[in-house]
Amino acid sequence: MATRVLDLAGSPLFIAEGIFAAEIVSECQRAGLLAGAYALRRPRGATFLRRLVRDLAERRKPAGVLLRRGLDLLRSEPRVLRRQTSLGCQPARGSEFVRQIVARVPKTDPRA
């Protein structure tokens, strides 16, 4: 497995996103860097349609392939969410996630 140094340049927070972000939760927790870990929970049908429309518009692959792949992803989504949860992520809808992250951002004094 490859490793990379993450330089936060003094920032108190960072956000790791994507399907593999859950893989670093335990290490961030061990290092005292974990403020929160979330697995984005969206309506599966809406995600399927957004992905299909995007991929068709970008002509990524033939329509039949995109449809089959989209249906496979639709069916596997609950399993992916369970795995992310098992790695320490808390399932949250987008609005919940944003609200919790904003609450963690340190407030700065505008006079500073």
Side-chain angles (χ1 to χ4, degrees), residues 30-107:
R30 262 193 299 283
L33 299 173
L34 189 67
Y38 306 94
L40 192 55
R41 192 178 63 211
R42 290 184 169 157
R44 289 171 43 206
T47 300
F48 167 78
L49 287 175
R50 274 195 302 271
R51 183 183 294 126
L52 184 61
V53 167
R54 178 201 66 199
D55 291 349
L56 287 170
E58 294 177 6
R59 296 187 171 127
R60 292 179 173 210
K61 291 186 170 99
V65 171
L66 294 173
L67 186 58
R68 279 190 305 278
R69 180 178 176 271
L71 289 170
D72 287 344
L73 291 170
L74 176 75
R75 286 189 287 270
S76 69
E77 194 168 320
R79 186 177 66 249
V80 170
L81 186 59
R82 280 192 305 273
R83 183 167 192 287
Q84 291 171 328
T85 302
S86 76
L87 291 171
C89 295
Q90 171 189 339
R93 294 203 179 279
S95 58
E96 298 168 48
F97 165 77
V98 170
R99 193 171 30 257
Q100 291 182 30
I101 292 300
V102 168
R104 286 189 163 96
V105 174
K107 306 297 183 247

